[in-house]
């Protein structure tokens, strides 16, 4: 998988704007290339999880369709912890065919992408291109 450095910077910016709450949204693209970030409003009442109303998720899917991108991953941030899926992240991940991306803001921004299957996670390598 790959994504541009500009897109990574936008992802970090969106996550920074949502602090101290977790940021969340969709990553779209074609094949193994991430080409878009569709941020969503975190409507959870806590800083340690995210929740988005169904109608807002549907609007994001419509946006992906309008720009001709497939859903590659659901992303969220971990403002103060490492980019590793929690048990809740794994349990509530809606679809094993969709990857999970976690952006940690703990120290230096760090993104990891995972495949979730059978209650376990497997890291997917990717590169950030200039």
């Amino acid at each position: 998988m790959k994504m541009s450095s500009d897109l990574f910077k936008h992802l970090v910016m969106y996550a920074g704007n949502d602090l101290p709450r977790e940021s969340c949204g969709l990553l779209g693209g074609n094949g193994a290339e991430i080409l878009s970030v569709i941020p969503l409003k975190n409507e959870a009442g806590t800083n340690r999880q995210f929740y988005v109303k169904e109608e807002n998720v549907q609007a994001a899917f419509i946006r992906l369709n309008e720009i001709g991108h497939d859903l590659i991953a659901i992303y969220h941030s971990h403002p103060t912890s490492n980019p590793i899926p929690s048990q809740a992240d794994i349990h509530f991940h809606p679809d094993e065919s969709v990857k999970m991306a976690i952006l940690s803001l703990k120290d230096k921004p760090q993104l990891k992408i995972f495949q979730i299957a059978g209650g376990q996670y497997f890291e997917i390598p990717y590169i950030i291109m200039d």
Side-chain angles (χ1 to χ4, degrees), residues 24-93:
C24 58
L26 307 179
L27 299 179
N30 297 31
E33 187 170 5
I34 299 169
L35 299 168
S36 59
V37 177
I38 310 289
L40 293 166
K41 180 181 177 189
N42 181 353
E43 300 170 85
T46 176
N47 294 345
R48 306 224 9 113
Q49 67 184 29
F50 67 96
Y51 171 77
V52 180
K53 291 180 184 173
E54 180 67 26
E55 60 265 22
N56 294 333
V57 173
Q58 291 305 318
F61 279 115
I62 290 168
R63 178 70 182 129
L64 279 176
N65 188 48
E66 288 172 348
I67 60 177
H69 292 172
D70 298 320
L71 175 62
I72 293 180
I74 298 169
Y75 80 83
H76 70 281
S77 65
H78 284 183
T80 60
S81 62
N82 294 322
I84 303 296
S86 68
Q87 286 302 313
D89 290 339
I90 294 167
H91 178 74
F92 291 110
H93 190 69

Side-chain angles (χ1 to χ4, degrees), residues 108-122:
K108 176 183 172 186
Q110 180 183 18
L111 179 70
K112 290 196 176 188
I113 302 172
F114 302 95
Q115 189 70 53
I116 308 296
Q120 298 182 313
Y121 62 89
F122 308 91

